[in-house]
Amino acid sequence: MRKGFLKRNIWSAGASLAVIAGASIATPALAQDAAQTPPADSSQGTTVQEQDQGTDGAIVVTGFRQSLQKALNLKKESVSSVDAIVAEDIAKFPDQNLAESLQRIPGISIQRDAGEGRAITVRGLGAQFTRVRLNGLETVATSTDGASANRDRAFDFNVFASELFNSLVVHKTAEASLDEGSLGAVVDLNTGNPLGGKEGFTFVGSAQASYNDLSKNWGPRFAGLLSWKSPSGAFGASLSAAYSKTDNVELGNNSVRWAQATFDQVSGTNCWTTANSGGTYVPSAVCSQAALSFHPRIPRYGIVGHDRERLGITGSVQWAPSDATKISIDGLYSRFKETREEKWLEVLLRSNERSINVVNPVYDSNNNMISATLNDAWVRTEHYLRKSDTEFYQIGGTWDQELGDSFRFTLLGGISKSNADIPVETTLILDDRDAQNYKYDYSNMRQPVLTFGTSVTDPANFQLAEIRDRPSNVTNKFRTAQLRTEWDVAEGFQIKSGAMYRRFDYQVKAYQRDTAVCGNGGLDLVLKTITCSTTSTFGPTAVYGFQATPQLTELVNLGNAGQPAGTTTSWVVANIDAAAAYTGLYNRPLALDVGNNRNVTEEVKGGYLQFDAKGDLFGLRYALNAGIRYASTDQSSTGINGTLPVTVKRTYDDWLPSVNVALFPAENVILRAAAAEVMTRPTLGSLTPGGSADGFNYRVSFGNPNLDPYRATAYDLAAEWYFAPQSIFSVAVFKKNVKSFPVSATLTGQTFLSTGLPATVLAASSPAFLNPAQLAQPIWTVVTTVNGTGASLKGVEIAVQAPFRFLPGFLKNFGGIANATFIDSSATYSQSAPATAVNANGSLTLPNRAFNSTLYGVSKKAFNATLYYEDKKFSARASVSYRGPYVDAGSGTGNVFEGYNAITNVDASVRYKLTDWIELSVEGTNLTDAYRDRYTDTAANRNYEFNHFGRTFLVGARLKL
């Protein structure tokens, strides 16, 4: 066996296992012990001969079972806490999405977008706390979600096709030699390794057709690998590609939060001396009860279309001219395109309650106006279109070199770039601002009845009132250079040291073409062809937009959104092509979206020193690593304050000691302990020195470029019992004491003028921009981020995995995997609380208070289980994943926190090997058609959104030559 870098990569299993350059998964301290297990012989396919102590004779381990064993090998042979998923072969990852595969690992939960996994949470810490490395290089990949691009440090796993990867490795505890920046985990994504394959050419290809039962659409999915290894084993090259296209829909309802506000009239009682606008507030019991209760801000049903296209290409060239040298060059390109189209029918209570008459309101025990009839309601239809295109590329090189028998180094470097471009983000709005007899009923909080008393299919009842377009771009760049060295000082003792340099550039640019068609009277603001009414004018004669016509509109039919009988399910929306052409929307000049134009540059320099040891102490075998990592961060943040760019620079240093210990009290038992100082750099959006303003919700936000990083002390204890081949029972407990934790600070009852921002930062279609008097009123909330007092998190993971070899006959071909995670955490956040009284002028004051909660993104309970069957020809898997409810963010309008309720997803797959070289497959995801249930206000659990994406089925074939 070669020494040096091959000590860290002791398997050779063709395309089914990546040799992870420089990742040090199997540590040298355990390499000798691990080497005692015979490696897979790639020349013999994927068959491994093992002796199962629980049966008579040898067992042939292939396919999925083999991938489970390789993942356990990675875990067992690491001193630190590591979990892994290893693909059986190219195009055979256990799930259709990398995030969905990661959720099978204990302690990992995922967030979904458009029905597929997008971001991960590790041991209760969200995506921004997890660092992702692609072939050993840290990177950030961004895409878009329901509202905007990912504008943070989070990694979007949906950018990449899962077929391009053959192993995922999750480091749950820190090492000095492991990249810093994670409170949660470091995740390694690994692509091909041509020198690990068989001699000559290898070709693997797969083709699938996917069908979604909600959208009734089919889509293609292709993947392929071509690799070659020279007869001498000194040179190898591989090229892989994957392509998929889907056109799915999301159906459901959305409240856009709930709010408190005073109405014009309640059940015949006038709440103001003048109807609709102006006058003074008239206190009464019925008016106060309505004002202080919570009503849905924008109750609506709608259709969301997701047209997605994903292309990925990887390439690798490896050259090993001698046993002491290996040079690798790896490249990856990915393109993820999405067209998202939304069509909503709604009532805009938000900011318009002053002109609405409420009839027969019904209240529940959570102080919700659970149902009511509304007159003079603002009926609105929205047609939203966003086209996004994310391109990612990375090129990296690794030089592994031995210098003698005891010293070796790895030189690693590369660049990556993620460019998330949104050239079109258009919204066109039709309004009917004096609709009568609108009824809503949230007695069933998740599936409300929304009934419109006037025709919403007749264009004559609507005016084209607003046009919006908000193009934007988010670009992330990484440049990395690292030197890692290892010195075998003596038997069982090794010194690792290294130096690193990283530069991370983040830039977001955003613009807008927004305008209301009418201002406060006068000619319209778009074509100058109609005379508008003043904003205080109500009724059928009011002019606030262009008259809608059949030529400017299209009809929408809802379909199965889970709506009860009585809900209105057909309506008209503006036709985007026709209405944009009529108004000249795309010819309008672009205005700067001030709060979303910013950039951050971080340069990190540092190094590490780590000592690895193994041996026996009082007859007890042990392995450990201990060391310290140093990182110096130079940070430059730029934002726009008013009209001027402002740049703030700062430098901070972190010394991060860590220790990992593994004890072996018995041959198949490992006890682990770890402690470390860890850190995550602040949220990118919080670092801008500029400000932004929301003239719809009367909210101003400022960044804070002097935020401290999140810093924590992490502790881990674990016990692992490898009681049979492909088997483990493990228990791990963990605790993180977060010392610094940036939190939001909120000031209520402020004026806009006190912020010093010009009114031009407000959207031109917002109520505050159209009514300048509101700038001086104390109705504004000012939000920034400050260094908080910290938080705590602790939990336990329990996992078991085993084939059922003890069962008779064909039943012994079954096996199971199950894990559970239980987490308790505590953090204090500052945000607005509900109003408790109506002010004399009819306004409401939301007091700012401190609230205790779990850390954002923490589910207290999560479970995953997989039942599998595998014989020589046939294999099947069924998986269930449960994630408990969790708080996702602070909320607004008097709601205390918002988040997601529990969700359970069920997936399954069946494969049949027709011959040695062709395999057929049928797979299904989200087989129960689970609804995504988002809430606002933790105590009241009010409906935020409730929607579903349908079941997806894939049928296909796979070829290997």
Side-chain angles (χ1 to χ4, degrees):
M1 176 177 289
R2 294 182 183 179
K3 299 179 181 179
F5 62 83
L6 284 184
K7 282 189 177 182
R8 300 190 303 255
N9 303 286
I10 58 173
W11 305 280
S12 176
S16 61
L17 177 64
V19 174
I20 305 167
S24 298
I25 301 304
T27 63
L30 296 179
Q32 183 176 352
D33 299 321
Q36 294 174 2
T37 301
D41 184 354
S42 60
S43 65
Q44 302 297 321
T46 60
T47 300
V48 179
Q49 297 289 337
E50 282 187 329
Q51 180 69 35
D52 187 339
Q53 298 177 359
T55 62
D56 296 326
I59 292 173
V60 178
V61 182
T62 61
F64 184 62
R65 294 181 191 271
Q66 186 187 28
S67 71
L68 295 179
Q69 184 61 59
K70 290 174 181 176
L72 286 185
N73 288 343
L74 288 175
K75 182 178 182 68
K76 188 175 182 180
E77 292 152 7
S78 174
V79 178
S80 58
S81 179
V82 165
D83 282 293
I85 298 176
V86 179
E88 302 168 49
D89 210 333
I90 186 72
K92 286 189 69 176
F93 224 78
D95 297 275
Q96 296 301 311
N97 181 282
L98 294 180
E100 292 168 12
S101 293
L102 284 167
Q103 74 176 336
R104 315 295 178 203
I105 290 177
I108 294 184
S109 299
I110 69 171
Q111 286 181 301
R112 293 176 182 264
D113 174 33
E116 65 176 6
R118 179 172 183 238
I120 67 171
T121 295
V122 182
R123 289 181 167 179
L125 292 167
Q128 75 178 88
F129 298 104
T130 297
R131 297 279 68 78
V132 176
R133 302 191 301 188
L134 181 53
N135 291 328
L137 298 174
E138 182 180 355
T139 191
V140 171
T142 58
S143 66
T144 56
D145 64 4
S148 63
N150 170 9
R151 290 169 177 165
D152 210 336
R153 301 180 190 273
F155 187 93
D156 289 338
F157 288 89
N158 58 357
V159 170
F160 302 109
S162 61
E163 291 91 339
L164 301 177
F165 299 87
N166 45 31
S167 73
L168 309 179
V169 181
V170 180
H171 306 260
K172 294 181 179 177
T173 60
E175 297 183 35
S177 57
L178 193 65
D179 288 341
E180 85 292 337
S182 165
L183 263 64
V186 174
V187 177
D188 277 310
L189 310 179
N190 303 292
T191 58
N193 169 44
L195 284 185
K198 65 180 182 180
E199 294 180 6
F201 283 98
T202 297
F203 172 76
V204 181
S206 71
Q208 291 178 305
S210 67
Y211 175 78
N212 182 271
D213 69 348
L214 190 62
S215 63
K216 312 297 183 184
N217 287 325
W218 288 88
R221 189 178 184 110
F222 304 104
L225 164 74
L226 179 64
S227 68
W228 180 79
K229 179 180 176 181
S230 67
S232 66
F235 183 81
S238 66
L239 180 68
S240 66
Y243 173 83
S244 65
K245 191 176 190 307
T246 59
D247 186 5
N248 297 332
V249 298
E250 165 189 346
L251 302 179
N253 69 81
N254 191 314
S255 70
V256 198
R257 299 194 186 96
W258 293 55
Q260 301 167 293
T262 53
F263 290 89
D264 188 38
Q265 185 186 90
V266 178
S267 295
T269 299
N270 292 324
C271 302
W272 296 83
T273 58
T274 304
N276 298 321
S277 66
T280 58
Y281 181 67
V282 181
S284 68
V286 292
C287 291
S288 294
Q289 183 179 18
L292 296 175
S293 67
F294 282 84
H295 59 269
R297 297 171 72 237
I298 312 179
R300 60 187 186 174
Y301 275 94
I303 301 172
V304 181
H306 302 276
D307 186 353
R308 294 182 161 187
E309 186 176 22
R310 184 185 285 110
L311 171 67
I313 301 171
T314 71
S316 180
V317 177
Q318 293 182 321
W319 179 45
S322 69
D323 287 353
T325 304
K326 185 175 78 171
I327 297 173
S328 303
I329 298 176
D330 298 288
L332 185 147
Y333 170 83
S334 179
R335 185 170 185 178
F336 178 61
K337 298 177 67 175
E338 181 188 36
T339 298
R340 180 186 179 101
E341 189 171 13
E342 304 178 12
K343 300 174 182 180
W344 298 98
L345 172 63
E346 63 199 31
V347 164
L348 189 71
L349 283 88
R350 181 204 69 195
S351 304
N352 297 316
E353 294 91 346
R354 174 65 184 82
S355 62
I356 294 175
N357 297 334
V358 178
V359 180
N360 298 326
V362 177
Y363 305 96
D364 69 5
S365 59
N366 287 317
N367 194 32
N368 298 316
M369 187 187 293
I370 205 72
S371 66
T373 297
L374 306 181
N375 292 321
D376 292 342
W378 285 43
V379 171
R380 169 169 288 189
T381 74
E382 289 191 40
H383 194 173
Y384 171 89
L385 176 67
R386 184 185 65 217
K387 297 181 179 181
S388 62
D389 189 348
T390 297
E391 283 192 294
F392 175 93
Y393 71 81
Q394 176 178 291
I395 184 74
T398 304
W399 173 20
D400 289 293
Q401 182 67 51
E402 293 181 24
L403 299 175
D405 292 335
S406 62
F407 188 82
R408 67 201 66 89
F409 70 80
T410 296
L411 184 62
L412 175 69
I415 59 173
S416 68
K417 180 180 179 181
S418 174
N419 183 71
D421 194 45
I422 302 177
V424 174
E425 187 172 2
T426 297
T427 306
L428 295 174
I429 289 173
L430 301 181
D431 276 355
D432 176 7
R433 297 184 179 178
D434 63 340
Q436 307 300 306
N437 201 34
Y438 167 76
K439 298 178 181 179
Y440 74 82
D441 186 352
Y442 278 82
S443 298
N444 179 344
M445 182 58 79
R446 264 56 208 175
Q447 296 171 300
V449 180
L450 307 181
T451 305
F452 292 77
T454 54
S455 174
V456 291
T457 59
D458 184 357
N461 289 330
F462 290 97
Q463 298 178 42
L464 177 60
E466 288 185 36
I467 58 176
R468 305 174 190 163
D469 187 43
R470 299 174 178 178
S472 64
N473 175 272
V474 177
T475 301
N476 296 297
K477 297 179 183 178
F478 260 103
R479 299 173 179 85
T480 302
Q482 293 187 15
L483 174 66
R484 302 168 179 169
T485 69
E486 297 178 358
W487 177 29
D488 299 329
V489 179
E491 181 69 25
F493 182 67
Q494 184 184 73
I495 297 177
K496 295 180 180 178
S497 63
M500 58 87 181
Y501 169 83
R502 291 195 305 271
R503 178 184 169 113
F504 171 49
D505 291 286
Y506 159 86
Q507 184 176 54
V508 55
K509 295 180 180 179
Y511 304 89
Q512 59 181 20
R513 294 186 172 101
D514 297 12
T515 185
V517 171
C518 287
N520 190 8
L523 289 178
D524 70 88
L525 305 176
V526 179
L527 301 178
K528 309 295 185 183
T529 59
I530 60 174
T531 301
C532 300
S533 303
T534 61
T535 55
S536 61
T537 302
F538 293 86
T541 62
V543 176
Y544 41 83
F546 301 117
Q547 179 60 53
T549 64
Q551 293 75 27
L552 293 177
T553 59
E554 61 186 72
L555 185 66
V556 178
N557 294 300
L558 180 60
N560 176 21
Q563 71 274 15
T567 297
T568 302
T569 58
S570 297
W571 63 93
V572 293
V573 296
N575 179 287
I576 285 185
D577 290 339
Y582 176 74
T583 59
L585 173 60
Y586 299 127
N587 295 322
R588 293 178 61 82
L590 288 170
L592 200 66
D593 182 356
V594 174
N596 284 315
N597 278 265
R598 58 183 184 272
N599 62 73
V600 176
T601 296
E602 289 177 348
E603 286 191 332
V604 181
K605 309 178 192 70
Y608 65 90
L609 179 65
Q610 180 174 307
F611 302 96
D612 288 15
K614 69 171 186 176
D616 292 278
L617 184 64
F618 304 113
L620 180 64
R621 190 159 60 96
Y622 74 90
L624 66 84
N625 63 59
I628 191 167
R629 186 176 187 90
Y630 168 71
S632 176
T633 304
D634 294 318
Q635 187 181 87
S636 175
S637 305
T638 300
I640 298 176
N641 198 325
T643 58
L644 299 176
V646 178
T647 299
V648 177
K649 297 182 178 182
R650 65 178 303 210
T651 299
Y652 54 87
D653 300 324
D654 285 276
W655 293 90
L656 305 170
S658 62
V659 61
N660 291 269
V661 179
L663 303 176
F664 305 87
E667 181 179 357
N668 293 315
V669 176
I670 303 176
L671 304 179
R672 302 185 190 274
E677 296 289 332
V678 292
M679 59 86 76
T680 290
R681 294 176 177 88
T683 303
L684 292 168
S686 300
L687 290 174
T688 175
S692 64
D694 179 355
F696 294 96
N697 297 302
Y698 308 104
R699 188 179 182 92
V700 177
S701 299
F702 284 94
N704 183 354
N706 292 310
L707 287 175
D708 291 331
Y710 300 81
R711 294 187 173 102
T713 304
Y715 305 95
D716 280 76
L717 291 172
E720 301 164 4
W721 177 28
Y722 299 85
F723 55 89
Q726 305 118 51
S727 303
I728 185 177
F729 174 74
S730 65
V731 178
V733 295
F734 53 89
K735 183 177 182 181
K736 298 182 190 292
N737 294 327
V738 184
K739 303 168 190 174
S740 61
F741 192 81
V743 296
S744 176
T746 304
L747 299 175
T748 58
Q750 306 296 302
T751 67
F752 178 85
L753 298 178
S754 68
T755 68
L757 293 173
T760 52
V761 305
L762 297 168
S765 58
S766 66
F769 184 86
L770 297 173
N771 297 277
Q774 293 181 345
L775 304 181
Q777 295 177 4
I779 58 175
W780 293 81
T781 299
V782 178
V783 180
T784 188
T785 305
V786 298
N787 293 311
T789 57
S792 65
L793 180 148
K794 57 186 176 183
V796 59
E797 297 169 357
I798 304 171
V800 62
Q801 170 182 315
F804 299 161
R805 292 298 188 188
F806 55 87
L807 295 176
F810 77 95
L811 296 177
K812 67 182 179 182
N813 294 322
F814 280 96
I817 307 168
N819 63 72
T821 305
F822 305 92
I823 299 175
D824 181 33
S825 73
S826 178
T828 299
Y829 300 92
S830 176
Q831 67 168 71
S832 59
T836 57
V838 182
N839 298 326
N841 63 358
S843 66
L844 302 176
T845 300
L846 304 179
N848 194 53
R849 287 175 45 198
F851 293 93
N852 186 266
S853 173
T854 60
L855 284 164
Y856 293 161
V858 172
S859 291
K860 294 183 178 181
K861 297 178 183 178
F863 308 100
N864 290 286
T866 298
L867 178 67
Y868 65 86
Y869 176 91
E870 187 168 53
D871 60 27
K872 293 181 180 179
K873 290 284 189 179
F874 180 79
S875 66
R877 296 194 293 273
S879 298
V880 178
S881 175
Y882 167 85
R883 182 176 186 180
Y886 62 96
V887 172
D888 186 52
S891 193
T893 61
N895 298 279
V896 181
F897 302 118
E898 59 191 46
Y900 293 84
N901 284 308
I903 189 169
T904 301
N905 290 99
V906 179
D907 308 320
S909 67
V910 176
R911 295 176 182 269
Y912 181 75
K913 186 176 289 187
L914 199 62
T915 68
D916 288 341
W917 48 274
I918 190 167
E919 182 180 67
L920 307 179
S921 64
V922 178
E923 303 174 55
T925 61
N926 192 27
L927 293 178
T928 60
D929 193 12
Y931 275 69
R932 181 174 63 189
D933 183 359
R934 187 178 180 187
Y935 70 85
T936 187
D937 197 275
T938 303
N941 204 271
R942 302 180 180 103
N943 175 343
Y944 195 131
E945 67 174 349
F946 191 74
N947 46 26
H948 69 138
F949 306 90
R951 304 167 182 85
T952 299
F953 301 92
L954 299 102
V955 294
R958 179 177 174 275
L959 175 70
K960 181 176 182 180
L961 299 175

